[in-house]
Amino acid sequence: MFDARTGRALSWPVPSSDIPDLLRALALQGVPHQGSGQAEIPGKVLAAAVSAGLIVPCPPCDQTFPTSCTPHQQAAHREACMVPPDAESLPRPPPAARLRRPASGTRTPLPDRPAPPSRPLSAVLDERRSRRVFAEQSVPLPLLGALLGRAARVRGFLPPLDLQQTQRPAPSGGGRHSLEIYVLARDVTGLAPGAHHYDPFDHTLERLAPWGQELSELMDRLITRPGRMSRTPPVALYLASYTERTSWKYGGMTLSLVYRDTGCLLQTLCLVATDTGLAACPIGAIDAPVTASFLNDTDGQVMHVGGFALGLPSDVPPPSVTPPHLAKGAGRHQPPPH
């Protein structure tokens, strides 16, 4: 490790076998050193290595790593190594875990009990596919309710309660759950077409905007075209993060945690959709800056993180999957059986 501000000598967190190469490189830069096999490098030598562009310091943890690391690896390291402050030093009060939207639309209660019975997890994992072709049928509201209830509904609170930490099917850093789900419903039986906000606390949908040209274009730009779909799906989920819920506790780690939370939620949605008999496809296109008018009242405090296309399965089968043991070249690096 290395403190670039003080030049303090700390252990360099790489295998000791790499140290001679570093010192030889420093010698070519005219930097003297005391030996080629030392396990600890003087701070001044490391400072020179940083100045010469041979290693890169990481201010959050005082570690250094070779410049051969890609910018993506360096950025990921900086985000992942940041340590959140102690709970005693967190600002009070925390952002609310429940989003209260203005009472501007119709609230639709969703069924409390899932419509279809759940199947064995092994079967669901085996059948999960990204589906880009959907049947020309309306999605039944009970199926949509089962998906949202099983994948995202609040099931309880985690102590201490004053930290507003909720327990839900998909995990989230610190139980902060910054992600909100907006349902873009084009064709759902029993639900008015338009943009709806899902309230995971009381398992209801609140209509924010009617279906129109703007929502149609938004769906096309963020779901249909990025997903290489020939037809617009009956339903799409617009996932948005209210990042302050996470940044309140984790500071510099926020962006990293928000995207990890997004991956957890998308995988949970994929599995639940498969379990309930829905066809689904996660979409990575990002609405940046946010253009959805149903989020105009958020004052820029929201970040779009992804989408999710939904519908009933069509007669078109998903792409076939070749089992690993039948794939071309599979097992060629395996040792022969005895």
Side-chain angles (χ1 to χ4, degrees):
M1 295 184 287
F2 164 57
D3 187 334
R5 294 166 295 180
T6 65
R8 186 162 48 94
L10 298 169
S11 299
W12 191 41
V14 297
S16 59
S17 59
D18 289 351
I19 294 178
D21 290 337
L22 169 66
L23 296 179
R24 279 192 291 271
L26 290 174
L28 292 176
Q29 298 290 330
V31 179
H33 58 85
Q34 298 177 353
S36 60
Q38 55 194 19
E40 188 152 306
I41 302 178
K44 291 182 179 179
V45 175
L46 285 175
V50 172
S51 300
L54 298 171
I55 56 177
V56 180
C58 177
C61 67
D62 285 340
Q63 290 190 353
T64 62
F65 40 86
T67 52
S68 58
C69 291
T70 68
H72 302 290
Q73 291 171 322
Q74 296 177 22
H77 172 84
R78 289 191 179 97
E79 286 249 334
C81 72
M82 293 181 183
V83 179
D86 295 332
E88 292 75 13
S89 65
L90 291 172
R92 296 290 191 272
R98 186 176 190 178
L99 177 65
R100 297 284 190 176
R101 298 300 305 260
S104 58
T106 303
R107 296 182 72 85
T108 302
L110 294 171
D112 276 332
R113 294 187 177 276
S118 187
R119 295 178 291 140
L121 178 60
S122 59
V124 173
L125 289 168
D126 189 55
E127 294 177 19
R128 194 220 58 83
R129 303 283 189 280
S130 292
R131 306 290 291 264
R132 292 174 170 81
V133 181
F134 306 96
E136 297 182 23
Q137 297 173 253
S138 301
V139 172
L141 184 60
L143 276 184
L144 178 60
L147 172 79
L148 295 172
R150 291 185 187 180
R153 190 173 184 176
V154 171
R155 300 189 295 196
F157 297 90
L158 300 170
L161 292 180
D162 62 338
L163 297 186
Q164 296 276 334
Q165 298 173 128
T166 57
Q167 205 284 325
R168 312 187 192 190
S172 172
R176 295 302 300 150
H177 291 283
S178 75
L179 301 182
E180 296 287 338
I181 298 177
Y182 293 89
V183 178
L184 308 184
R186 183 179 65 83
D187 191 4
V188 178
T189 303
L191 185 66
H196 302 255
H197 171 245
Y198 174 62
D199 187 337
F201 286 80
D202 61 8
H203 195 47
T204 60
L205 290 174
E206 181 183 14
R207 190 168 183 246
L208 303 177
W211 189 268
Q213 186 64 27
E214 182 196 348
L215 285 182
S216 180
E217 291 176 353
L218 185 73
M219 182 94 91
D220 183 65
R221 177 162 51 88
L222 296 178
I223 300 293
T224 309
R225 281 188 283 147
R228 307 289 198 273
M229 298 172 186
S230 58
R231 288 173 50 85
T232 302
V235 189
L237 304 184
Y238 182 105
L239 306 182
S241 169
Y242 286 73
T243 55
E244 187 182 4
R245 285 185 203 153
T246 300
S247 64
W248 166 81
K249 181 175 182 180
Y250 289 103
M253 292 179 67
T254 298
L255 184 60
S256 172
L257 289 174
V258 165
Y259 281 125
R260 295 180 203 194
D261 290 355
T262 303
C264 291
L265 179 58
L266 285 173
Q267 172 68 343
T268 304
L269 287 166
C270 283
L271 295 178
V272 175
T274 302
D275 189 32
T276 55
L278 286 166
C281 182
I283 306 292
I286 301 297
D287 188 24
V290 170
T291 61
S293 63
F294 55 82
L295 292 175
N296 285 345
D297 61 341
T298 59
D299 298 325
Q301 300 301 310
V302 64
M303 178 179 73
H304 180 235
V305 294
F308 196 73
L310 276 172
L312 295 176
S314 74
D315 294 333
V316 179
S320 60
V321 178
T322 303
H325 67 280
L326 297 180
K328 184 178 180 181
R332 61 184 175 182
H333 297 301
Q334 298 297 323
H338 295 290

